[in-house]
Amino acid sequence: MENDNLLVVENLKKYYPINASVLGKAKSFVKAVDDVSFTIKRGTTMGLVGESGCGKTTVGRTILRLHDVTGGTVMFKGRDLAKLSKKELRSLRPHMQMIFQDPYSSLSPRMPVGEIIGEAVRTHNIVPKSQYQSYIRKVMKDCGLQPQYFYRYPHEFSGGQRQRICIARAVALNPEFIICDEPVSALDVSIQAQIINLMKDLQTQFGYTYLFISHDLSVVEHISDTIGVMYLGNLVETGDKAKIFANPMHPYTKALLSAVPMPDPDMKMNRIILKGDIPSPANPPSGCKFRTRCQYCMDVCEKEVPQFREYEPGHRVACHLYSQE
């Protein structure tokens, strides 16, 4: 059902001008996000994966209108975020939150933890003033932070604790949708597991919907229901987690999965080594953007952009290895 979809992204584009004429009109662009479409159902998690520079973070920031939308639509609860005024967008802000990648630089060093978590709560009048402190302490407890941390400062905490503070700041507004921008990439493996388990517990308890951005497929496998694979601003494959891991169809997805380390030292993976470097997003290859690194490249890949088609229920791929009709 359409109502099951909390977020519907259609043909999303975000271009950055890089060369301008004498009159100031842009002559060329970096196509950071180029015609991306996906949906996320309520209470589920979509993992968005790809190499650094593929446009994952830009997708998240553009959805939240931290960057202006160049083209396409972002429907959140039936409303197009790209067309909302600043006042309308402000009223929706508490429902959409973001957890940033670096838990230290995203926290103000001059504010105690209680104020960091509660600043937006106070701004948006989430609870009455009389309940403010008790509410913030409850949020801290839900996120694994001791109540006595209320008056401490970010530099007094470890990386894992700082990320818990960032999570607490996001969930304190009772959001429905949270974008998690590589929230565990800066943490030790054991701490990563704790943060992932915390996020899953919070989702079970409060019904949050996540867009989980990561370059680590082994992390995405643990938390995601659906997965989208990005390359140079485009989605090349999307589908249910089980289908992506059991039957990866795009050569890029296969290469990413072959790089996931196996816990069994005796089990050998057929590692797929991609040739060449990632092309410049300011001057991508013609046709299929992945063709310069693909071992299956054909003549048609150079001339035509592959269609993003559904080949089994819920499993979509953009590749000339499969029928384009």
Side-chain angles (χ1 to χ4, degrees), residues 187-228:
L187 307 176
D188 294 339
V189 174
S190 59
I191 306 300
Q192 284 185 12
Q194 293 177 21
I195 297 298
I196 293 296
N197 289 336
L198 169 64
M199 295 179 69
K200 290 176 73 172
D201 290 344
L202 290 171
Q203 186 177 45
T204 302
Q205 189 174 353
F206 300 106
Y208 299 137
T209 303
Y210 293 139
L211 174 62
F212 192 92
I213 297 168
S214 179
H215 60 266
D216 190 338
L217 272 165
S218 58
V219 171
V220 167
E221 184 180 11
H222 283 290
I223 195 169
S224 301
D225 300 293
T226 58
I227 292 176

Side-chain angles (χ1 to χ4, degrees), residues 178-191:
I178 302 176
I179 293 180
C180 313
D181 182 14
E182 303 207 30
V184 297
S185 64
L187 307 176
D188 294 339
V189 174
S190 59
I191 306 300

Side-chain angles (χ1 to χ4, degrees), residues 255-267:
L256 289 181
L257 284 172
S258 76
V260 176
M262 301 300 295
D264 185 355
D266 297 324
M267 188 173 181

Side-chain angles (χ1 to χ4, degrees), residues 231-232 279-280 283-292 301-302 305:
Y231 184 80
L232 266 191
S280 167
N283 186 28
S286 60
C288 174
K289 292 181 180 178
F290 185 63
R291 68 176 175 80
T292 58
C301 300
E302 190 174 344
V305 177

Side-chain angles (χ1 to χ4, degrees), residues 124-163:
H124 291 281
N125 299 313
I126 302 298
V127 292
K129 286 184 180 179
S130 60
Q131 300 175 20
Y132 171 79
Q133 276 223 11
S134 60
Y135 176 75
I136 299 302
R137 290 177 190 275
K138 180 187 179 300
V139 171
M140 291 173 65
K141 184 179 178 182
D142 289 340
C143 294
L145 296 166
Q146 299 297 322
Q148 63 265 30
Y149 295 167
F150 192 95
Y151 296 106
R152 291 189 185 178
Y153 288 82
H155 72 270
E156 300 179 63
F157 295 92
S158 66
Q161 288 173 317
R162 285 180 199 146
Q163 197 58 282

Side-chain angles (χ1 to χ4, degrees), residues 4-142:
D4 288 344
N5 294 324
L6 182 69
L7 185 79
V8 180
V9 177
E10 292 184 348
N11 310 115
L12 182 65
K13 297 182 177 72
K14 178 57 188 175
Y15 298 169
Y16 295 98
I18 50 175
N19 286 323
S21 64
V22 177
L23 299 175
K25 188 174 181 180
K27 294 192 293 185
S28 58
F29 298 87
V30 172
K31 297 182 178 180
V33 180
D34 192 16
D35 204 23
V36 166
S37 302
F38 59 86
T39 60
I40 306 180
K41 292 184 177 180
R42 291 178 184 274
T44 65
T45 301
M46 176 179 175
L48 193 59
V49 299
E51 292 170 291
S52 295
C54 72
K56 310 183 296 294
T57 295
T58 307
V59 167
R61 289 172 178 257
T62 307
I63 287 172
L64 293 186
R65 283 277 301 274
L66 299 179
H67 299 318
D68 288 332
V69 178
T70 303
T73 59
V74 180
M75 303 296 292
F76 177 71
K77 299 174 66 176
R79 301 177 71 183
D80 188 356
L81 298 180
K83 295 179 180 177
L84 296 182
S85 66
K86 287 186 178 180
K87 186 176 180 181
E88 290 172 320
L89 193 60
R90 180 184 169 87
S91 68
L92 267 182
R93 285 287 183 213
H95 302 280
M96 310 175 296
Q97 289 296 300
M98 190 165 190
I99 300 168
F100 295 95
Q101 179 175 0
D102 185 350
Y104 192 64
S105 62
S106 61
L107 299 174
S108 171
R110 296 180 176 87
M111 295 172 66
V113 167
E115 281 299 306
I116 289 172
I117 297 170
E119 184 180 24
V121 172
R122 187 183 284 124
T123 301
H124 291 281
N125 299 313
I126 302 298
V127 292
K129 286 184 180 179
S130 60
Q131 300 175 20
Y132 171 79
Q133 276 223 11
S134 60
Y135 176 75
I136 299 302
R137 290 177 190 275
K138 180 187 179 300
V139 171
M140 291 173 65
K141 184 179 178 182
D142 289 340

Side-chain angles (χ1 to χ4, degrees), residues 240-295:
D240 293 339
K241 175 178 68 176
K243 290 178 180 176
I244 295 288
F245 276 85
N247 180 31
M249 296 177 70
H250 198 280
Y252 181 59
T253 310
K254 293 177 181 178
L256 289 181
L257 284 172
S258 76
V260 176
M262 301 300 295
D264 185 355
D266 297 324
M267 188 173 181
K268 299 295 182 184
M269 286 292 292
N270 295 321
R271 179 73 193 276
I272 300 172
I273 306 295
L274 296 176
K275 59 184 180 181
D277 297 319
I278 303 175
S280 167
N283 186 28
S286 60
C288 174
K289 292 181 180 178
F290 185 63
R291 68 176 175 80
T292 58
R293 305 174 73 195
C294 181
Q295 60 180 323

